[in-house]
Amino acid sequence: MAKKWVYLFGELDQAQKYVGGDWQNALGLLGGKGANLAEMTRIGLPVPPGLTVTSEACNAYLANGNKFPEGMWDQELEALHTIEGLAGKKFGDSANPLLVSCRSGAKFSMPGMMDTVLNIGLTDATVEGLAKLTENPRFAWDAYRRLIQGFGAVVLDIPDEAFEEALDAAKKQAGAKEDVDLTAGQLKALAGEYRKIVQKHKGFDFPQNPLEQLSLATEAVFRSWNGRKAVSYRRHEEIPDNLGTAVNIVTMVFGNMGSTSGTGVAFTRNPSTGEKGVWGEYLINAQGEDVVAGIRTPKKVATMADELPEAYKQFLEICAILEKHYKNMQDIEFTIERGRLWMLQTRNGKRTSAAEIKIAVDMVGENLIDRKTALTRVTPAQVNTLLHPQFDANAKKAAQAAGKFLAKGVNASPGAAVGQVYFDADLCEAKAKEGQAVIMVRPFTKPDDVHGMIAAKGILTSEGGATSHAAVVARQFGKPCVVGASSMRIDFDARKLTSNGVVVKEGEWISVDGATGEAFVGQIPTVAAKFEEQKDLVTLLQWADGVAAEPGARSGPAGYPSRGLMVWANADYPSDARRARNFGAQGIGLCRTEHMFFEQSRLPIVQRMILAKTSEERTEALNELLPFQRSDFDGLFEAMTGLPVIIRLIDPPLHEFLPDEEALQEEVTTMKVLGKTEGLAEKETVLAAVKGLHESNPMMGLRGIRLSIVMPEIVQMQVRALFEAACDVAARGFDPHPEVMIPLTGTVKELEYIQPKLEVIAKQVMQEKGRQLDYKFGTMIEIPRAAVTAGEIARLAVFFSFGTNDLTQMTYGYSRDDAERNFLLKYVEEGILPFNPFQTIDRDGVGRLMDICIQEGRKSRPGLEVGICGEHGGDPNSIEWCHLIGNNYVSCSPFRVPVARLAAAQAAIKHAPKK
Ligand code: ADP
Ligand code: MG
Ligand code: MG
């Protein structure tokens, strides 16, 4: 038997059986439109009789040098015959003609990208029959002229303007305002004009054989799969090219048969807000695309209650049935023919992020779906868009139109920022302190610009890419950021920037859209996003936590956590910690203490400490720092009462706290040349120290635990400060859980050297204060050697935290900054790396090390607490990996916490152990 290329709408069971029962496969075979029309037929909704030619036939046709595969056309004719029976009409019959539409429809909806022809089957002969039968010649001639126009444009490639011009001319001549004002006679004349247009463009007449119309239209729809529009849409949406489109032949129903007819499109809920209730538009006495085309102004669907009450009632019932059936918001096309309702299309409707979340949560409340389904429906990216303030779309358009466009770069960190431009970090900080909204504009940023970035509402740079310092830090702090706006020139002397012919002076207002990468001059209004006010998101994420916390969410070897991942946050300041907690973080996974050393008032003491010649001198300076450190920790423990707080001891190399060598050298030389002696000696001392601390590769030099071993006074002070703070906070009635984290361990011997010395101090402080706290000592795993000797390291360390940035650098042997500047992009473009491993964990290499590390670690210490505190902790793909290898938690920047909570739940759902 020949292959089955054609299925009637009533043959869905057969089609589904052919593809193995799976609905997704059925969508692939019949296309979304065809499969859903068949599905609506199956559940008894009013769908006009029809057939679907499969996407397999399309692929065969295209592969075959544009020839129908064997047997296809005969099957199409046979099915058409069945449809004639169902519709009680005959194709091409001049007394009682059947008309059909020929509609494209692929697996994924590609709105407007492919072709559809309506009213096929009308000819000079059948149009008269239709006029008589319906006693409505105006309607019949309108349908005919629409066919010639649609067929001419879609099948015969005649520019649509040719027809539109003739239509306009006819309207003008008749003094008609709208299409519907044309009379039967005028439409008949217009059809004649249209046929002349076909003759003129093609050299042949509009086909008068209905079967020829049908076969040419089928071919045209097949070919439209490779149309320019469709191909570029697929590129953009990453839809594979080899799916092909199905062709649907559907009995025509007519919304253009007078005042009791109409056509419309509707969503079962508001696609912009998610609000329950049918939302859409329709037109009385209209056909097909009229509603979307905007020729006439459509009415709100709700007004159908007055105009066509019966049909409206039935329509609402069908919407409810469809939602119950598909368990999702539907996007529907319908037509009412003389009071009778017909369904012409349904699909899951596209919607905004806010609507997606509201609909998912509401549908759980309505018992349509369960919580896990709701959680898998929303994407992490959708959660993300809800957290950043956004520009009012219309206001942005208006700004564009008013010539206020400034520059475009890489959309590095989403959100909308409005503020006054300043060109350096100190100025940004100072102006922000005065209460100004500030936008920091720089060629690029460096670590010593961070205080300015923190003070700024948004960041705009002319250099760098999505992983540049500015971009990474901006995302970390949730600041809207555009980088690499290369049209921009900053003139630091004149304190102004120039871009695309627009000049902005320092202190003037601009607006930066981090979601799109654009910047505008002036203040564009924004719409704010407050997490706790987004009730549906809050609810959804509570469910996420519940799903992740389910015992038995994971199964694994002994010592492996049975619940899923927790989400903690990286926070250096109490305000960050409070924000993180507000976002639902269940702990602090990384508090970096070096920020505390950088503060303006403390830096001189820090420098004195570094320059100290003797241990006593150093301790003296450290004693001055201690109260500062204690007060930093104090606020943090208070904010995180009841939850764990991991504090990392000092990590960076000391030169970072001292002035830049080159600049200092220049200063000293200048002073000497000018004969200035005041302060020269001190400067020379500092310069000598800076030179002394110089390392050829500081990232692999004296830092982390190595620094603690060489210069233990600093970490001893830190441990004292943090336990004093914890005890004090506990005395005030809070519940601190300090965890001390030692960075950059490479061998257990390092821990053996330093950790006991620190634990002694901890115990000493608790004894002094008369308190016993719940505390831990652990280490970061950032060095491959540490990962593979984790069994030994876990003898001392009670917890591990993967510093995946350093771990990735050292596993690949890349220095991140150099890699991202010089070759990483090329590597990704050339497919040498599948993605940037600093954004998403490389499971085969870095991830494998993590896996080994956890297994070895838990062998020697069952129940070892394991987390991750690198940037990867906020990346959904990396979070999934952390779930799989048995992490207890991921820790990410506060603004990523909601996204991570969803991702953690999704990993738990996706990898739930089989019962
Ligand atoms: P698209 O995918 O671009 O929406 P469609 O195939 O859905 O294209 O058809 C275009 C328009 O024609 C829609 O408004 C649809 O409802 C209408 N239409 C398609 N087939 C029929 C039919 N058999 N009877 C009445 N209207 C139809
Ligand atoms: Mg459609
Ligand atoms: Mg590190």
Side-chain angles (χ1 to χ4, degrees):
M1 208 181 79
K3 190 176 174 99
K4 192 163 166 65
W5 304 106
V6 174
Y7 292 86
L8 288 159
F9 289 169
E11 291 178 329
L12 182 57
D13 290 342
Q14 225 179 312
Q16 226 172 326
K17 199 165 147 210
Y18 168 71
V19 293
D22 182 67
W23 178 246
Q24 286 303 316
N25 293 343
L27 288 175
L29 182 72
L30 303 174
K33 201 178 284 168
N36 285 319
L37 282 167
E39 181 71 0
M40 286 197 287
T41 306
R42 180 153 74 178
I43 63 174
L45 299 185
V47 175
L51 63 87
T52 301
V53 187
T54 66
S55 58
E56 287 182 350
C58 171
N59 284 333
Y61 170 87
L62 294 173
N64 216 359
N66 292 1
K67 277 212 299 286
F68 288 151
E70 204 190 309
M72 186 206 100
W73 180 243
D74 288 341
Q75 292 176 23
E76 192 171 336
L77 289 180
E78 198 191 313
L80 184 68
H81 199 60
T82 311
I83 293 170
E84 289 175 334
L86 293 169
K89 298 174 183 179
K90 263 181 83 82
F91 197 59
D93 188 308
S94 52
N96 185 17
L98 171 73
L99 306 187
V100 297
S101 62
C102 178
R103 315 168 67 185
S104 59
K107 176 166 184 177
F108 302 104
S109 98
M110 302 173 33
M113 293 302 124
M114 291 183 304
D115 294 331
T116 283
V117 185
L118 303 183
N119 303 337
I120 292 173
L122 278 176
T123 60
D124 286 357
T126 56
V127 69
E128 298 288 0
L130 185 68
K132 247 188 237 133
L133 193 75
T134 58
E135 296 173 6
N136 192 341
R138 190 204 165 273
F139 152 74
W141 284 103
D142 187 44
Y144 191 29
R145 69 95 193 164
R146 282 172 191 261
L147 169 64
I148 305 170
Q149 178 167 4
F151 193 94
V154 167
V155 182
L156 304 176
D157 269 333
I158 300 169
D160 199 45
E161 293 81 67
F163 299 106
E164 286 300 328
E165 273 166 29
L167 177 61
D168 286 342
K171 280 202 284 195
K172 202 175 238 169
Q173 199 183 9
K177 260 199 10 237
E178 296 187 19
D179 298 5
V180 283
D181 298 330
L182 292 171
T183 63
Q186 287 158 347
L187 287 165
K188 183 174 179 177
L190 182 60
E193 286 304 313
Y194 278 5
R195 285 183 52 183
K196 279 190 205 143
I197 293 172
V198 172
Q199 183 62 257
K200 188 177 128 215
H201 278 83
K202 305 304 290 186
F204 55 79
D205 195 9
F206 171 75
Q208 289 298 318
N209 175 353
L211 285 178
E212 190 186 344
Q213 290 174 8
L214 184 66
S215 104
L216 288 173
T218 303
E219 285 197 64
V221 170
F222 280 164
R223 284 197 310 268
S224 73
W225 176 253
N226 283 335
R228 202 166 41 81
K229 268 191 305 184
V231 171
S232 67
Y233 183 86
R234 290 201 294 273
R235 284 293 113 74
H236 186 259
E237 298 288 304
E238 297 180 1
I239 296 173
D241 281 334
N242 61 2
L243 295 176
T245 179
V247 174
N248 303 288
I249 307 298
V250 188
T251 302
M252 284 303 300
V253 289
F254 297 102
N256 51 340
M257 290 188 79
S259 61
T260 56
S261 303
T263 183
V265 292
F267 291 84
T268 52
R269 303 186 188 216
N270 185 316
S272 153
T273 63
E275 212 123 347
K276 202 168 154 64
V278 174
W279 188 95
E281 295 177 323
Y282 76 107
L283 276 172
I284 292 283
N285 200 12
Q287 185 176 55
E289 311 274 57
D290 290 1
V291 174
V292 199
I295 312 168
R296 285 157 58 195
T297 314
K299 295 179 184 167
K300 291 218 166 64
V301 163
T303 51
M304 250 169 80
D306 303 324
E307 285 196 323
L308 299 162
E310 277 305 305
Y312 184 63
K313 198 167 142 257
Q314 192 193 357
F315 178 67
L316 291 186
E317 280 164 19
I318 288 177
C319 286
I321 292 171
L322 284 174
E323 280 212 340
K324 251 209 179 101
H325 184 73
Y326 286 102
K327 304 187 187 314
N328 209 328
M329 182 262 265
Q330 295 297 296
D331 169 357
I332 294 167
E333 289 174 6
F334 64 94
T335 281
I336 296 157
E337 180 181 306
R338 293 197 277 204
R340 187 154 175 210
L341 177 65
W342 294 97
M343 303 304 293
L344 291 173
Q345 189 169 334
T346 192
R347 61 180 170 220
N348 293 340
K350 294 213 158 74
R351 61 204 79 174
T352 65
S353 304
E356 183 81 83
I357 291 167
K358 179 165 176 49
I359 290 168
V361 170
D362 283 353
M363 285 192 164
V364 172
E366 294 160 29
N367 282 324
L368 280 176
I369 57 175
D370 62 13
R371 290 180 177 187
K372 286 184 182 168
T373 307
L375 284 164
T376 45
R377 234 176 231 183
V378 176
T379 66
Q382 285 173 324
V383 170
N384 205 18
T385 56
L386 251 65
L387 298 178
H388 300 276
Q390 287 152 3
F391 284 118
D392 183 59
N394 290 325
K396 221 170 80 172
K397 268 190 213 143
Q400 182 98 37
K404 296 196 167 165
F405 175 75
L406 179 65
K408 184 152 172 58
V410 178
N411 50 346
S413 175
V418 181
Q420 292 166 268
V421 168
Y422 292 99
F423 296 126
D424 67 67
D426 292 341
L427 203 51
C428 283
E429 191 179 50
K431 292 292 176 184
K433 279 218 176 97
E434 288 171 20
Q436 283 193 19
V438 164
I439 303 280
M440 180 158 145
V441 179
R442 300 276 311 158
F444 52 87
T445 66
K446 290 197 311 242
D448 43 299
D449 292 322
V450 169
H451 61 290
M453 300 173 76
I454 291 174
K457 295 271 181 238
I459 297 133
L460 174 63
T461 74
S462 55
E463 296 170 27
T467 60
S468 61
H469 178 266
V472 171
V473 174
R475 280 197 291 274
Q476 147 101 22
F477 290 117
K479 304 272 177 190
C481 174
V482 173
V483 296
S486 52
S487 63
M488 209 165 63
R489 295 278 166 279
I490 305 171
D491 183 340
F492 285 102
D493 296 329
R495 307 307 286 179
K496 62 173 193 186
L497 75 84
T498 318
S499 177
N500 294 313
V502 182
V503 179
V504 177
K505 292 203 216 82
E506 193 158 46
E508 288 183 345
W509 288 88
I510 64 168
S511 300
V512 175
D513 190 338
T516 60
E518 297 159 300
F520 297 87
V521 183
Q523 296 167 259
I524 297 179
T526 59
V527 276
K530 268 218 169 93
F531 179 73
E532 61 277 14
E533 282 169 14
Q534 309 199 40
K535 297 262 168 346
D536 295 309
L537 180 58
V538 169
T539 305
L540 186 83
L541 293 181
Q542 275 163 0
W543 296 343
D545 295 345
V547 164
E550 266 172 33
R554 289 190 282 199
S555 61
Y560 199 91
S562 108
R563 55 155 291 159
L565 288 169
M566 281 186 280
V567 177
W568 295 11
N570 300 345
D572 300 341
Y573 303 100
S575 59
D576 289 343
R578 276 189 292 273
R579 175 177 294 135
R581 212 172 175 165
N582 181 37
F583 280 147
Q586 299 178 59
I588 298 299
L590 175 64
C591 166
R592 280 167 298 203
T593 49
E594 48 271 16
H595 284 246
M596 301 169 177
F597 287 60
F598 275 119
E599 290 203 9
Q600 290 302 321
S601 54
R602 307 178 190 177
L603 209 51
I605 316 176
V606 173
Q607 295 183 351
R608 188 142 50 76
M609 179 270 291
I610 295 170
L611 298 177
K613 296 237 164 43
T614 63
S615 177
E616 290 73 46
E617 245 180 82
R618 174 160 301 130
T619 308
E620 199 187 308
L622 283 163
N623 284 343
E624 270 182 69
L625 283 173
L626 189 130
F628 288 118
Q629 281 266 269
R630 198 173 46 215
S631 71
D632 292 327
F633 296 138
D634 198 276
L636 207 59
F637 287 132
E638 203 176 295
M640 295 307 289
T641 182
L643 297 177
V645 174
I646 294 186
I647 288 166
R648 180 178 70 183
L649 302 179
I650 189 165
D651 182 48
L654 289 180
H655 75 84
E656 288 197 10
F657 302 105
L658 295 176
D660 177 63
E661 183 178 336
E662 251 174 73
L664 200 57
Q665 178 73 67
E666 205 179 300
E667 245 181 280
V668 168
T669 314
T670 315
M671 282 174 91
K672 281 185 175 162
V673 170
L674 297 178
K676 283 195 187 167
T677 49
E678 208 189 299
L680 179 62
E682 288 96 89
K683 287 234 152 59
E684 281 183 313
T685 317
V686 178
L687 181 60
V690 173
K691 282 189 171 154
L693 285 172
H694 177 86
E695 291 179 307
S696 34
N697 193 346
M699 292 322 284
M700 299 177 97
L702 184 61
R703 56 175 285 229
I705 193 168
R706 304 158 202 165
L707 180 61
S708 309
I709 287 169
V710 173
M711 210 182 268
E713 298 90 342
I714 305 176
V715 287
Q716 283 167 345
M717 179 279 286
Q718 289 193 300
V719 169
R720 170 161 282 278
L722 91 84
F723 277 89
E724 285 184 358
C727 289
D728 293 351
V729 164
R732 297 206 303 274
F734 296 98
D735 178 22
H737 294 266
E739 301 192 13
V740 183
M741 180 155 78
I742 298 171
L744 223 68
T745 300
T747 149
V748 70
K749 295 282 181 199
E750 291 172 311
L751 281 186
E752 281 173 357
Y753 182 91
I754 193 74
Q755 190 175 314
K757 293 189 176 61
L758 300 177
E759 290 195 51
V760 165
I761 296 175
K763 291 196 182 115
Q764 220 173 349
V765 173
M766 288 188 287
Q767 206 174 15
E768 285 164 23
K769 299 265 181 184
R771 276 190 192 272
Q772 187 52 49
L773 299 174
D774 168 30
Y775 71 95
K776 288 178 184 162
F777 274 80
T779 186
M780 285 187 83
I781 303 290
E782 304 167 89
I783 295 180
R785 190 182 189 288
V788 295
T789 60
E792 291 176 1
I793 291 178
R795 280 195 281 110
L796 271 88
V798 173
F799 66 87
F800 287 172
S801 178
F802 291 109
T804 44
N805 191 45
D806 272 322
L807 188 59
T808 302
Q809 296 202 86
M810 302 209 215
T811 301
Y812 274 96
Y814 297 166
S815 132
R816 178 175 184 173
D817 289 349
D818 298 324
E820 288 183 342
R821 205 173 25 224
N822 297 328
F823 61 85
L824 211 58
L825 200 66
K826 169 121 184 132
Y827 266 37
V828 173
E829 273 170 11
E830 297 291 336
I832 295 167
L833 291 175
F835 44 73
N836 181 345
F838 292 103
Q839 282 175 350
T840 298
I841 282 176
D842 150 51
R843 296 187 181 192
D844 298 340
V846 178
R848 176 110 201 286
L849 274 174
M850 294 166 73
D851 189 13
I852 293 168
C853 174
I854 296 180
Q855 295 196 27
E856 301 284 314
R858 291 220 172 104
K859 254 187 236 155
S860 80
R861 183 185 290 277
L864 174 80
E865 174 188 284
V866 182
I868 168 178
C869 61
E871 227 188 289
H872 295 98
D875 168 62
N877 185 297
S878 310
I879 291 171
E880 182 185 29
W881 180 248
C882 289
H883 175 92
L884 288 170
I885 60 175
N887 268 37
N888 296 82
Y889 67 87
V890 295
S891 185
C892 54
S893 75
F895 282 96
R896 301 290 291 170
V897 166
V899 166
R901 288 166 71 193
L902 178 67
Q906 289 185 338
I909 294 167
K910 184 168 165 193
H911 301 288
K914 300 260 175 328
K915 294 250 163 64

